[in-house]
Amino acid sequence: MGGQIGSATVVAGRSTKEAIRDAALQLFASKGFDHSSLREVADAVGITKASLYYHYASKVDLLVAIIEPMFDEVRDQVERLDDLPATPENVRAVIRERLHSTLANRQVGALCMRDTVAIVNALGNRYPDMIELHHRMCRWMAGPGADDDTLLRAAAAMQVLSTAMMSQEIVPDTDVDHVETTLLNAALGVLYPPR
């Protein structure tokens, strides 16, 4: 994992809770959720396992703390779509925003892609809400009164966006701005194919 996160890091501006979350993300991303232990997380932060339990009651609670902020961003973005017409300019801006957010959270996204079962189990009854948000975004991108072909292209464009989650593994030496531009153009090409 590349070194321990010691208490000096906590003193340098991060809370213990943030340090635990960051260490868990590093560990879960490198070893997988099921193959990581809370003891390893505590050791990486330089605290006792009992101290870790003060902040997070379980490994699942810690996983939710890692992934929920990314899902909250998606929820906030989708909620704002209700008042935004689905013009090509607005669709482009929304896709760019979604890509920018996903690329900023690539490590969390990669964890979600690798440990899908653990994520679904951790989210429990919130998972159907995430699926509904995805469908709402697709329907908005397709536009009002969209036919089946347009709805399918919108769903396919969303799949293009999901590539951002694994982009660091696919093209590790590629600049993030280049990844964003390439995936933006690919998603728009799927949604608005040349006639």
Side-chain angles (χ1 to χ4, degrees):
M1 187 173 71
Q4 242 188 17
I5 299 171
S7 58
T9 306
V10 175
V11 173
R14 292 185 313 157
S15 71
T16 301
K17 196 165 191 163
E18 289 170 322
I20 293 168
R21 183 189 171 281
D22 292 348
L25 175 56
Q26 294 291 324
L27 194 62
F28 296 169
S30 65
K31 290 182 69 176
F33 176 75
D34 289 331
H35 299 290
S36 303
S37 72
L38 289 179
R39 161 81 50 218
E40 291 171 301
V41 175
D43 289 348
V45 179
I47 60 174
T48 65
K49 193 172 171 187
S51 183
L52 187 147
Y53 279 121
Y54 173 77
H55 298 284
Y56 296 100
S58 69
K59 193 163 86 165
V60 170
D61 286 345
L62 185 50
L63 180 62
V64 169
I66 290 169
I67 60 175
E68 207 159 47
M70 189 173 76
F71 289 152
D72 287 344
E73 283 184 25
V74 172
R75 184 177 297 107
D76 290 345
Q77 185 183 34
V78 172
E79 294 300 328
R80 291 192 315 266
L81 296 178
D82 292 340
D83 300 323
L84 189 65
T87 64
E89 297 79 22
N90 287 344
V91 169
R92 181 184 184 83
V94 166
I95 290 174
R96 182 179 290 283
E97 179 186 356
R98 183 80 254 118
L99 274 169
H100 188 76
S101 176
T102 302
L103 288 167
N105 293 293
R106 279 195 288 189
Q107 203 168 18
V108 176
L111 173 64
C112 290
M113 297 292 281
R114 271 192 228 105
D115 284 316
T116 305
V117 173
I119 301 295
V120 170
N121 290 335
L123 288 175
N125 62 359
R126 291 173 286 199
Y127 186 72
D129 293 338
M130 292 310 303
I131 297 298
E132 177 55 24
L133 291 172
H134 176 80
H135 291 304
R136 282 176 62 191
M137 176 80 90
C138 289
R139 287 190 302 268
W140 179 84
M141 284 173 49
D147 61 14
D148 290 349
D149 290 349
T150 305
L151 286 166
L152 286 170
R153 284 196 309 274
M158 289 295 288
Q159 285 303 111
V160 170
L161 300 184
S162 70
T163 305
M165 292 186 206
M166 300 301 286
S167 62
Q168 196 163 15
E169 293 177 2
I170 297 167
V171 287
D173 299 324
T174 303
D175 177 76
V176 72
D177 291 333
H178 183 78
V179 172
E180 183 176 308
T181 300
T182 300
L183 293 179
L184 173 66
N185 290 335
L188 291 171
V190 168
L191 186 59
Y192 304 120
R195 298 190 191 262

